[in-house]
Amino acid sequence: MVAMFGVHTHPKSYWLWMDPGAFALVGAASFFGGVSRLTMSLAVIMIEMTNDVQFLLPIMAAIMVSKCVGDFFTHSYYLALMELKCIPYLDSEPVVNCNGKRVSLELHCAADIMSSPPVVVHVRESIIYLADLLLNTNHGGFPVVRKSANGEEVFFGFINRLQLAVMLKHPKLFTNIQNDNDGEISEEIQHPQLTLDKLEKPDLIEEMLLRYTHNNEFKDLYINLEPYVNQSAVSIPGKFSLERAYITFRTMGLRHMTVVDENNHVVGVITRKDLMGFNMEEKLSSKIGLAQSREDLIMLLDD
């Protein structure tokens, strides 16, 4: 019976040389490598557990084989958990296939996959509009625009949802001045109050926002967002290379990327969901399909 589990006690057994513990160690390393897809770090961990360098070669071989076999069939366990929790994860290199062929993202631009039209806020925005925006949208942030010298609304910066909610909790920031170019600045709140990971008591926040939208006394009140806007937010032109936009977004760990035109007007926003493989495949397939249909029509007319 014990021979079935790798323990051979017969003195003339061919497998007497085998050490069950060594094979169990290699098997454990192989299993963990297939699940986690770790390589060098896992090999170091297993060697530190055994304190025997002689196991290095079989452990490394087992880890590499398990990783290659796992990559051939599916992704790692951790990526599966992120998909289960609907967490958008961007691979180091974007892979987009359309009609069975790999698409070169250098041939496409950021405007092809951006979310448009964008929801923007002004530097001085009404309380009712901001409250309605937070109640009826689930966007994590909003591009901020302001009027230029010639009266056009141009990109000024970016502000996230939590900051807006925190500011609306402080009535001392409200003012009845609407003009963006007015020099008066109302009282300010400290930066640490704005850097929150999540809001406490969201039910009370929702009640507050509903009160703002239904109470006429807030109809003519505005808030100055200029001191709190992130004016160093990344923005790219609409014709920016899609592959470079993907690399920039992932390398800098961004959550939002604003797309502007040649006159610095906001035309769209790119988020992680826009850069997910399935979303890019869907949008680029539509574009490629339209281009192919146009070429077929031109060839038909020429004939």
Side-chain angles (χ1 to χ4, degrees):
M1 178 64 74
V2 294
M4 296 176 58
F5 298 96
V7 181
H8 297 271
T9 57
H10 196 278
K12 294 183 179 181
S13 174
Y14 174 77
W15 301 103
L16 192 61
W17 63 272
M18 186 177 68
D19 183 2
F23 278 78
L25 176 68
V26 175
S30 176
F31 173 79
F32 193 29
V35 171
S36 65
R37 310 296 163 82
L38 299 176
T39 52
M40 294 300 297
S41 57
L42 179 57
V44 172
I45 292 172
M46 301 306 291
I47 293 300
E48 289 181 349
M49 289 173 58
T50 61
N51 197 25
D52 192 345
V53 183
Q54 293 181 356
F55 289 110
L56 178 61
L57 184 58
I59 286 176
M60 291 180 63
I63 291 174
M64 292 306 301
V65 170
S66 64
K67 182 183 185 302
C68 293
V69 172
D71 288 339
F72 180 78
F73 288 102
T74 183
H75 44 64
S76 70
Y77 174 71
Y78 301 112
L79 288 182
L81 288 179
M82 286 193 288
E83 288 184 356
L84 186 63
K85 294 184 177 182
C86 299
I87 299 175
Y89 174 77
L90 302 180
D91 293 323
S92 56
E93 294 184 2
V95 178
V96 178
N97 298 312
C98 293
N99 300 324
K101 297 181 180 180
R102 182 166 180 175
V103 179
S104 174
L105 298 185
E106 281 287 355
L107 302 178
H108 300 274
C109 57
D112 295 333
I113 57 96
M114 68 181 182
S115 297
S116 180
V119 180
V120 301
V121 297
H122 299 83
V123 173
R124 287 185 184 269
E125 192 59 85
S126 69
I127 302 301
I128 292 181
Y129 176 80
L130 292 178
D132 183 72
L133 201 63
L134 296 183
L135 285 172
N136 299 315
T137 66
N138 56 0
H139 303 315
F142 306 92
V144 181
V145 297
R146 75 178 310 166
K147 290 185 178 180
S148 61
N150 55 5
E152 296 182 349
E153 294 184 347
V154 296
F155 178 66
F156 180 69
F158 204 90
I159 192 165
N160 64 47
R161 186 184 190 89
L162 289 177
Q163 289 176 326
L164 290 177
V166 171
M167 283 187 282
L168 290 177
K169 290 172 58 180
H170 294 77
K172 65 180 181 180
L173 298 178
F174 301 169
T175 178
N176 57 1
I177 300 174
Q178 180 182 3
N179 187 8
D180 289 352
N181 299 320
D182 196 292
E184 180 181 346
I185 297 179
S186 57
E187 296 185 42
E188 298 183 12
I189 57 178
Q190 299 300 318
H191 182 264
Q193 296 178 265
L194 295 174
T195 55
L196 300 177
D197 295 327
K198 63 179 181 179
L199 290 175
E200 297 180 357
K201 301 179 180 179
D203 294 338
L204 296 180
I205 299 294
E206 185 175 355
E207 292 179 6
M208 176 193 70
L209 297 177
L210 288 172
R211 188 174 73 254
Y212 288 163
T213 56
H214 293 91
N215 197 331
N216 290 330
E217 67 176 291
F218 298 99
K219 183 178 180 180
D220 297 324
L221 292 180
Y222 298 83
I223 188 170
N224 180 23
L225 303 178
E226 183 174 358
Y228 316 103
V229 174
N230 178 15
Q231 300 183 35
S232 61
V234 177
S235 63
I236 58 174
K239 296 182 179 179
F240 196 75
S241 164
L242 180 54
E243 183 167 1
R244 298 182 186 181
Y246 183 99
I247 295 173
T248 302
F249 193 102
R250 186 181 185 276
T251 304
M252 299 184 66
L254 302 177
R255 295 184 61 187
H256 307 87
M257 181 183 285
T258 307
V259 183
V260 298
D261 61 10
E262 59 274 9
N263 295 320
N264 203 28
H265 301 152
V266 179
V267 294
V269 176
I270 294 177
T271 64
R272 283 183 173 268
K273 292 182 179 179
D274 295 316
L275 295 175
M276 295 294 290
F278 68 89
N279 188 62
M280 289 197 292
E281 287 180 2
E282 181 180 350
K283 292 184 177 180
L284 295 182
S285 295
S286 301
K287 178 187 176 184
I288 294 173
L290 290 174
Q292 187 64 38
S293 300
R294 191 181 297 110
E295 291 179 2
D296 294 341
L297 180 61
I298 293 175
M299 292 178 62
L300 182 63
L301 294 176
D302 291 341
D303 293 340

